[in-house]
Amino acid sequence: MAALVLGNGTPPVPIQNTTGADATISLEAFDDMLELYGGVLSLCSLVAIVNYHRVKFPMPISLSLSGLLMSLVLVCVDAALSGHPIRAMVTSLLVATDFDEIILRFGVGFLMFAAAMESDIRAMRPHWGLVFLLSVCGVIISVVVCAVSSLAIFLGFGYYASPPTVVEILYCILFGAVVSPTDAHHFVLEALEKSGAPESFAAIVVGEGLTNDALAVVVFSIVKSIVDSNYLGSHGGCADIEDQAKCEVLHMCEWEEEHGDPGHGVCSAGHGEVDIWAEIAKDIFGGLFIGVMLGWMFSLIMSRVRQPNINILLSITLVVDVIVVSNLLESSAAVACASAGLFLRAFGLPKLERHSQEELDIVWKFFEEALSGIFFLLIGLAIITDEFSVDIFFASVIAIPVSLGARWLSVAFPIYCWNYFADGDRPRSHSGLDRDPSLVERGDKIPWSIVPTLTWGGIRGGSSVALALSLSPYEGRSHIFSMVYAVVLHSVIVQGLTLPRFLKHLFDKENDDDDGGVSGLGADGNHDPDGRLAWAAAEKDGLLADLSGAIDNSPLLAQMLEEQGISRGHLEAVS
């Protein structure tokens, strides 16, 4: 790990290790890291307590509001107390902790694994074709539309001169990659369940969100490497950089001390030129191979353990090992962690005892919420490090409808193509009582209601924030940071708070259309003004489906039920 420079400009006193300069450790930098993340964790805990007792919002929404409030307070304090260097203090603290590299290398991996641990690959099996189409086409369309729109915004507000340079265009592509990931938050799935949406919609939302995140991170990493390479080319390469702090900011360069002297050294190249296709193959296929292999190994080990605490430790070790191996092989840690989590969730967890499964679910739900909370508060803290202006404010406001329009196009075009080549004149019934989990199979048309569902329910959350935080100042962060912050705030707060009502109105209207326009009638013609009969029927079918799956995975449970005269055929008949 390269030595760090503190915000006051003085190099920290290192502890020398016999392995060389690359192993130099700074106690001062470690103390700064503890101060930063300790303070953020304390604030997260305080927000969680207040939210639990008073506000009772979903945690991502509460933490986003807290991050916004914190950034507003810090900006006001910095403006009111001109002699108090609060901006310089925050900047030096963030630089000293090297938080951008930590988040990109470790934070994104843990977040992807936590999301994958809550995604059942077996439930998504009938929908993989649609999920793949939505993810690949969606990421490409979203990145292109957001990049072109942000370039127009930057040219319109005078940030870039016309014609723009290649590096400026790459900055806009980075913005598109940052705002493309969408997270399947718990409150989104709960809103889907309570709105009477088809059960398969939840599986599509989860699968699309996970693969969308992984592919967007791959695009971001590749474009980031190209930006780094262009920056180095314009400055003559790593060897021409004489400043240690500037060398350490560039992740493609490494600072090598001369004779163990932290004050003198040379900047050397850590990477060569970027081959885009080689990077894509290495990130996607290399990440898949690493994740599946390590996931398979740890699944075998965990299947022989009956202690939940040991299985939790093994799952955390799996994530760390996947990230370390991916970094060593220069592959995508996000793809590797997502594939490892999916493999463990689908093939490892069913072999564990029920107590271990429950404990692992609790732990990784905690990891997902805790990491998202840390990222939300960090971006609220980091936003004050960039200069604010009226032009930046209006550019950020314009970025909100731009991102929503890009999301709509990225969903509508694949759905239109799917339905165009599908068989049949119309989709299957999608009323509240039709809860067939195989709604979307080959040859089926998709209800168009999935387009507004994925558009308004595509919440930009922890993944977008983590990618924005991992940008270095020379990578255009001063231009796109506030725009990403505005998009994420609108997505989590406005879309998150209005999503339940939006989905209920959407599917109530569609259920009325299925009933021939008679409001309050279920599919069987019974009076159901609140949709409670449909919801109860859906809950019943969901429980029966879960019980059928449990029978398939547990011969002991199947034997116990057969002794009571209950077989899988009885469950299918009731459903």
Side-chain angles (χ1 to χ4, degrees), residues 177-251:
V178 169
V179 298
S180 292
T182 57
D183 299 337
H185 290 283
H186 298 296
F187 63 86
V188 176
L189 301 179
E190 291 175 1
L192 275 172
E193 182 180 0
K194 294 179 180 178
S195 65
E199 188 173 311
S200 56
F201 275 25
I204 294 172
V205 168
V206 172
E208 189 268 345
L210 184 63
T211 51
N212 175 294
D213 282 8
L215 291 177
V217 172
V218 170
V219 174
F220 174 85
S221 302
I222 293 172
V223 177
K224 190 173 186 292
S225 299
I226 298 174
V227 171
D228 291 349
S229 180
N230 276 273
Y231 182 87
L232 289 177
S234 63
H235 288 74
C238 296
D240 290 349
I241 300 176
E242 299 179 355
D243 183 71
Q244 180 181 358
K246 185 179 293 185
C247 178
E248 290 171 349
V249 169
L250 293 168
H251 302 310

Side-chain angles (χ1 to χ4, degrees), residues 107-131:
V108 175
F110 269 90
L111 197 63
M112 295 297 296
F113 186 87
M117 284 292 288
E118 298 187 43
S119 306
D120 189 357
I121 194 173
R122 297 183 179 183
M124 292 185 287
R125 185 180 301 169
H127 322 300
W128 271 118
L130 178 62
V131 168

Side-chain angles (χ1 to χ4, degrees), residues 16 71 137 279 289 330 519:
Q16 298 294 340
S71 61
C137 294
E279 289 291 325
F289 177 77
E330 297 182 354
S519 176

Side-chain angles (χ1 to χ4, degrees), residues 186-480:
H186 298 296
F187 63 86
V188 176
L189 301 179
E190 291 175 1
L192 275 172
E193 182 180 0
K194 294 179 180 178
S195 65
E199 188 173 311
S200 56
F201 275 25
I204 294 172
V205 168
V206 172
E208 189 268 345
L210 184 63
T211 51
N212 175 294
D213 282 8
L215 291 177
V217 172
V218 170
V219 174
F220 174 85
S221 302
I222 293 172
V223 177
K224 190 173 186 292
S225 299
I226 298 174
V227 171
D228 291 349
S229 180
N230 276 273
Y231 182 87
L232 289 177
S234 63
H235 288 74
C238 296
D240 290 349
I241 300 176
E242 299 179 355
D243 183 71
Q244 180 181 358
K246 185 179 293 185
C247 178
E248 290 171 349
V249 169
L250 293 168
H251 302 310
M252 300 184 72
C253 299
E254 297 177 355
W255 182 261
E256 297 181 357
E257 297 175 358
E258 294 180 344
H259 309 295
D261 185 1
H264 299 83
V266 294
C267 189
S268 60
H271 302 274
E273 295 183 356
V274 179
D275 186 341
I276 296 179
W277 294 110
E279 289 291 325
I280 292 175
K282 187 167 55 176
D283 284 343
I284 296 179
F285 298 109
L288 286 172
F289 177 77
I290 294 170
V292 171
M293 284 299 297
L294 289 179
W296 173 70
M297 292 171 57
F298 275 80
S299 296
L300 292 178
I301 297 172
M302 294 171 66
S303 64
R304 300 176 180 271
V305 177
R306 292 294 179 265
Q307 286 290 335
N309 291 340
I310 299 178
N311 281 326
I312 292 172
L313 177 61
L314 287 171
S315 67
I316 297 174
T317 306
L318 169 61
V319 183
V320 176
D321 288 351
V322 166
I323 294 173
V324 170
V325 173
S326 299
N327 290 334
L328 289 175
L329 300 180
E330 297 182 354
S331 185
S332 173
V335 175
C337 288
S339 57
L342 284 174
F343 189 94
L344 183 63
R345 174 71 172 82
F347 304 105
L349 255 63
K351 299 178 182 178
L352 303 181
E353 59 176 350
R354 188 182 66 178
H355 189 44
S356 293
Q357 295 180 16
E358 294 173 351
E359 293 295 326
L360 283 169
D361 284 341
I362 293 173
V363 167
W364 285 105
K365 284 179 181 178
F366 161 76
F367 266 108
E368 184 179 16
E369 292 190 355
L371 287 173
S372 298
I374 291 174
F375 294 158
F376 283 132
L377 294 179
L378 276 176
I379 195 172
L381 183 66
I383 195 69
I384 72 165
T385 61
D386 294 323
E387 295 294 335
F388 180 79
S389 67
V390 176
D391 289 343
I392 290 179
F393 173 77
F394 283 110
S396 302
V397 172
I398 296 174
I400 294 173
V402 165
S403 64
L404 280 174
R407 175 64 176 170
W408 185 87
L409 283 175
S410 67
V411 175
F413 180 75
I415 294 297
Y416 175 81
C417 293
W418 180 279
N419 286 343
Y420 183 81
F421 293 102
D423 296 331
D425 297 329
R426 63 183 182 88
R428 296 182 184 180
S429 172
H430 47 271
S431 64
L433 291 177
D434 183 3
R435 315 298 286 196
D436 185 4
S438 59
L439 169 70
V440 183
E441 295 177 339
R442 182 176 299 179
D444 288 342
K445 286 191 174 183
I446 315 301
W448 191 252
S449 56
I450 198 171
V451 175
T453 299
L454 289 175
T455 301
W456 200 250
I459 305 296
R460 274 91 173 180
S463 300
S464 293
V465 173
L467 294 181
L469 290 172
S470 65
L471 286 171
S472 298
Y474 74 95
E475 290 168 336
R477 189 178 72 181
S478 59
H479 297 294
I480 66 178

